[in-house]
Structure formats: C-alpha cells, structure tokens
Amino acid sequence: EGGVVGEAMCGGRGDDALQAVALDEATDLAWELQDDHALCKVHIGRARSFLRRKQNALALQFAVEALGIAERTGVPELLAIAHNAIRVVHFSSGYLDAAITAFHNCAAQDIPGESTRALSNLGSIHGMRDEHEEAYRLFEQALTRARATRDLVTVSACLNNLSASAERLGAYDRALKHLHEGRQLARRLNDRPMEAQLIHNLSIIYMRQGAFGPAWNTSWEVVEEGERTADIALQAQGLSQAADVARHCAAHERQRELLERAGELLRELGDSRRLLTHDAAVALSDAGPHREVPEPVRAVGRFGLRAVFNWLLLELALASSDPEAGLAFLAETELQGPAAVEPRSRCPRLGTR
C-alpha cells in the first residue's frame, strides 16, 4: 500500500523515474503476497504512468487487467477504481462514448470519491457535447455526494463545474453564486490551483457580459498563478482566455501572439484534445475570409465537440465577405442540429477550457 501511495505521489510530481522505481517495488511485493487488492492498484498505477507518457495502448492494457481482477474479486471499491481508470484512457484517446459507459459503470458502484469523480466527468462530457442542462444535473449530483462525505476539496471543484455549466446556459447570476461560494472555500483550504480555475471562469463571465477590462485582468491572474506554480496547463488556459478577450476587442495581432504562446505550452503538455480547439482558433485568426471550412475546424467536428464546431462555423459565416460561402457555413450548422442556433450567451468560447 505504501508503494502504491509513493507511486501516486511521484506521478503527481511528474517524476517518471522515481515513479517507475516505486511501481516496480509495489509490483514485486503485491506478487509475492499474492494480494489481489494490491495487484489491481499496481496495474492502475501502471496505466496512469503510461497515460502520462501518452502511451495510451499500454495504459488501456493495464487498466483492463485491473478491471479483470476487480470483476473476479467483486470488490466494489476496486470495480469503481478500475472503471475510472478505463474511462480516463478512453477520454484521453478521444473515445467519448466508451468513456461515458465506463463512467456510468463507476458511478453505479456508489463508492465515495470514485462515484463523485465519475459523475463530474460525465457532466464534463455532456458539456462538451452541448448538453448543458444534463451536465448541470450531473454536477449537482456530484456536489451532493461530495458534501455528504465532507470532502471540501471536491466540493470546491464541483462548485467550479457548476459555475462553468451555468455560464454556458447563460444563467450568469447562478454561475456567479457558485463561483463565489467555490472561491471562498478554495481560499479557506488554501487551494491556489482551484482558486485559479474559479478566477478563469470569472474571466469568461466578464467577457460574456462585455466587461473586457476585468476579463483581461482576471485572465492574466490565471497566467501568473500558472507561472508561479510552474503549472503549464494553467498558463495555457489563461493565455487562451486572454487571446479570446483580445479577439473580442479586435486586437488581432495580440490575439495571434497569445495563441502562439498557448500552443507552445499545449504541445509541451501533449494535450491533444485542447490542441484541437486551439488549432481551430488559430485557423480562424489567420487571414481570411475563408471560402471553405479549414481542416483544423473540421477536426473539432470529427472529435464530436458539436457545440464548439457549430460556433466555429458561425464565426466563419460572420467573417465571410462571400454571401454564397457564408450561407454554406450557416447551412452546415443546421445539419448539426438545434444547438447550432442557440443564442450567443450559450455558445462556448473558442479557446481551451
């Protein structure tokens, strides 16, 4: 058990070499003891390690082996952990339908912590698919479970998710309420990364309301916190948001500069999903107007991010000086379904979140 905990700590710090040593030690001990519980957790640790290095096939192999042990033993905790491991691999690989199935299987185990995470991630996927009312419902369920176990860190994260979901529904008063509650809790816990996420959502709400000065300032708060903590993902998130604010202010050179910096960080991070939406935003910032849908925008549609794809098509239509091309972009949004014609306040922004 100590080896598994040590492995998780090394992985969280990004120390691959030390994580490998801890995993080897834990594996040897688990095998010597012939302990199914320990072997299952070691396989999950291996899956997590390979996933960090973007070796998704190997990650899935170990996650499936862990699930086999969990199903054989029938221990609910192991089943929940294993299903969660599989869904993370599927999600990272872009297999959203498979990830949803694994999330549902995990949530059904009703294991504190694991089921809450599963519900939160289900909400995230529904949000990515523009199903924001369902996403909000799932985030509320996750919040209820987190409060029942008095897991204050997770409660803060759930409030952050609820604020983001409410913002996408255009319910700004509700979004601000969740945001302020979550920020107070994050400060009480001295959870600076979570507070930065909440500030990021505040920047988006400011931008939606046309308060571009506060939106710009809060986006840079996120960047500075990422720099202070060497959190590459947080820096990229803040830079992408700042680029979106610059776009709204018609500061196109500044927008491209910020997108370039965000892209460098995302490539260093190896976050393929965020790079998809980032590259689409870059394509729209390039000299136009476009007569055809750029390939990076098409890639967003193929990945299944319908709401983002619709919004990108609308941006192309608005920027087009050719009526025929503009109508073609609009016609394609109609093929995507009713979500394409939702009001601006409900559409997601172009940058990564």
Side-chain angles (χ1 to χ4, degrees):
E1 192 70 30
V4 171
V5 171
E7 172 273 321
M9 290 175 63
C10 295
R13 290 167 50 192
D15 192 330
D16 291 334
L18 197 55
Q19 183 184 31
V21 171
L23 275 171
D24 288 342
E25 289 289 335
T27 302
D28 290 344
L29 284 169
W31 182 254
E32 185 177 333
L33 295 169
Q34 286 296 291
D35 185 329
D36 277 330
H37 192 280
L39 283 167
C40 182
K41 288 195 170 182
V42 165
H43 285 321
I44 289 168
R46 292 277 184 202
R48 192 163 48 229
S49 173
F50 282 120
L51 191 61
R52 271 178 34 80
R53 287 175 279 170
K54 307 303 175 187
Q55 295 175 277
N56 290 0
L58 286 170
L60 183 58
Q61 175 186 326
F62 279 98
V64 169
E65 286 185 25
L67 180 60
I69 295 172
E71 289 178 335
R72 176 166 52 77
T73 60
V75 177
E77 180 194 359
L78 295 183
L79 283 166
I81 294 171
H83 279 301
N84 250 346
I86 287 176
R87 60 82 186 164
V88 169
V89 178
H90 285 319
F91 184 80
S92 298
S93 303
Y95 303 130
L96 299 186
D97 289 333
I100 284 176
T101 299
F103 282 137
H104 278 300
N105 289 334
C106 176
Q109 301 300 321
D110 197 21
I111 300 298
E114 295 298 326
S115 58
T116 304
R117 278 188 284 274
L119 287 167
S120 293
N121 286 305
L122 274 170
S124 296
I125 293 178
H126 282 288
M128 290 165 60
R129 290 182 162 180
D130 202 27
E131 297 160 354
H132 299 305
E133 290 182 0
E134 177 64 10
Y136 190 87
R137 185 186 68 81
L138 288 162
F139 289 144
E140 282 190 314
Q141 288 185 14
L143 176 64
T144 299
R145 294 198 186 191
R147 281 178 168 161
T149 58
R150 302 191 184 281
D151 182 350
L152 298 184
V153 172
T154 304
V155 167
S156 181
C158 289
L159 288 166
N160 178 55
N161 289 335
L162 281 166
S163 72
S165 191
E167 175 268 317
R168 292 181 180 183
L169 286 166
Y172 296 129
D173 288 344
R174 210 187 320 165
L176 287 169
K177 174 180 177 292
H178 293 314
L179 192 151
H180 290 308
E181 288 176 352
R183 193 172 182 185
Q184 284 179 359
L185 189 54
R187 282 181 172 175
R188 196 171 111 201
L189 297 168
N190 196 29
D191 189 342
R192 294 289 295 272
M194 179 51 62
E195 186 176 0
Q197 290 294 328
L198 290 155
I199 293 171
H200 171 74
N201 282 340
L202 181 60
S203 176
I204 293 171
I205 293 171
Y206 281 144
M207 187 179 70
R208 293 283 187 239
Q209 295 178 322
F212 298 122
W216 176 263
N217 292 338
T218 46
S219 67
W220 278 101
E221 283 188 56
V222 176
V223 176
E224 289 164 2
E225 178 63 18
E227 290 173 344
R228 189 188 71 81
T229 58
D231 187 331
I232 294 174
L234 191 59
Q235 291 176 58
Q237 194 173 31
L239 287 166
S240 295
Q241 169 63 7
D244 210 25
V245 177
R247 180 177 70 88
H248 279 79
C249 296
H252 300 301
E253 288 188 14
R254 185 65 165 141
Q255 177 199 7
R256 283 190 284 272
E257 175 196 331
L258 292 167
L259 284 174
E260 184 177 346
R261 288 176 60 187
E264 290 172 358
L265 293 171
L266 289 172
R267 279 185 283 276
E268 182 181 345
L269 193 63
D271 190 329
S272 57
R273 182 178 65 82
R274 288 188 177 184
L275 273 170
L276 272 177
T277 52
H278 170 270
D279 290 345
V282 171
L284 285 192
S285 73
D286 289 342
H290 300 273
R291 291 188 57 83
E292 297 181 348
V293 179
E295 174 53 30
V297 176
R298 288 274 179 218
V300 171
R302 286 195 298 269
F303 192 76
L305 301 180
R306 187 181 60 157
V308 179
F309 184 52
N310 283 336
W311 184 244
L312 292 166
L313 290 170
L314 290 172
E315 290 283 354
L316 287 168
L318 286 169
S320 178
S321 59
D322 181 345
E324 186 177 339
L327 288 171
F329 295 140
L330 287 174
E332 190 157 356
T333 67
E334 292 173 4
L335 293 175
Q336 302 303 313
V341 295
E342 290 182 344
R344 181 181 181 90
S345 64
R346 294 184 64 176
C347 293
R349 68 189 193 83
L350 297 182
T352 57
R353 290 188 67 172

